[in-house]
Amino acid sequence: MNNQFMITKNIIETSLKQSHDITPTEKFILVTLSSYLGKNDNDTYTCYPSQARIARCVGCTRSTVNRTLQKFEDLKFIRSRWRVNAEGGNTSKLYTWIGIPDSQDTNESNEQINIEDNTTTPCTENNEGYLGTRREMILESPPINQPDWIDELEHEIENDSPF
C-alpha cells in the first residue's frame, strides 16, 4: 500500500462482515483509526489517538472502542503497545497497522464465489498475503404472492380516487 488513504480505502471496500464477522460499528472504528495513520521512519503506519477520541468520532462508548481494538489485535489487523513518558508512565497506546489478513473461512485457493452468475473469480493478493479486492454479494428477494383481492382493491381505489 502506498499511503494511509489506500489503507482506508481497502478497509471500506473489503466485506469485513463476511470475511471476519465485523459489525458496521466495528468497521467504522477501524476506518476512524486508519484516518489517523501516518508513516513512520520504519516504513510502517502508526497512530496514537485516544480511545475516547475514537469513541467521540464514531458516536459509541469508550468500552466499545476498547473491546473492538482488542478484537482487531486478536484478528491481527493491528498491533498496539503503550507509549511511555520520561518518568516511565504510560501516556497512550501506539497502534501499528498490520493489514487485513485472509479469513479462515475463505477458500484455500483464493477464489471467491460470485452469487449473481455462480462463477468464481480469483482474488488478488499483495506481497504480504492480504486480500486486495472486495467481495460482492448480490441478493434478490423472492417474489411476493399477493392475494387476488388486493388487485381488485387497488382497481377500486384508482376508480374512486378524486384526483
Side-chain angles (χ1 to χ4, degrees):
M1 304 219 178
N2 297 341
N3 58 42
Q4 171 266 329
F5 298 106
M6 294 299 291
I7 294 171
T8 302
K9 184 175 189 264
N10 188 33
I11 294 167
I12 292 168
E13 291 181 348
T14 302
S15 298
L16 295 175
K17 177 68 175 167
Q18 288 82 10
S19 64
H20 295 87
D21 197 31
I22 303 296
T23 67
T25 300
E26 292 169 338
K27 187 171 185 173
F28 191 21
I29 289 170
L30 189 58
V31 167
T32 301
L33 181 69
S34 74
S35 72
Y36 289 99
L37 290 172
K39 197 171 193 178
N40 65 16
D41 295 336
N42 301 334
D43 286 338
T44 57
Y45 288 91
T46 60
C47 62
Y48 45 92
S50 70
Q51 294 171 356
R53 176 180 294 254
I54 295 171
R56 278 193 310 274
C57 290
V58 173
C60 64
T61 63
R62 188 175 177 274
S63 61
T64 298
V65 171
N66 187 23
R67 186 177 57 252
T68 300
L69 292 174
Q70 183 59 55
K71 180 177 181 176
F72 291 141
E73 282 193 71
D74 295 343
L75 289 169
K76 309 251 187 281
F77 284 35
I78 61 172
R79 181 176 54 243
S80 73
R81 67 176 172 81
W82 285 103
R83 296 179 346 130
V84 293
N85 59 21
E87 292 81 37
N90 293 336
T91 60
S92 62
K93 274 195 168 180
L94 177 70
Y95 299 98
T96 303
W97 177 252
I98 299 172
I100 300 174
D102 290 340
S103 163
Q104 300 297 347
D105 299 329
T106 58
N107 191 338
E108 295 286 329
S109 65
N110 282 331
E111 291 185 339
Q112 71 185 45
I113 298 174
N114 185 332
I115 302 296
E116 185 175 17
D117 60 6
N118 202 21
T119 61
T120 58
T121 54
C123 292
T124 59
E125 286 186 342
N126 65 17
N127 58 0
E128 298 169 355
Y130 294 100
L131 289 177
T133 61
R134 67 178 182 204
R135 295 182 182 95
E136 295 182 6
M137 184 180 298
I138 300 171
L139 301 175
E140 293 183 17
S141 59
I144 299 172
N145 294 328
Q146 296 182 12
D148 293 336
W149 62 266
I150 291 181
D151 291 333
E152 293 172 13
L153 179 62
E154 287 176 347
H155 186 318
E156 285 181 32
I157 291 172
E158 286 176 9
N159 290 340
D160 293 339
S161 175
F163 301 107

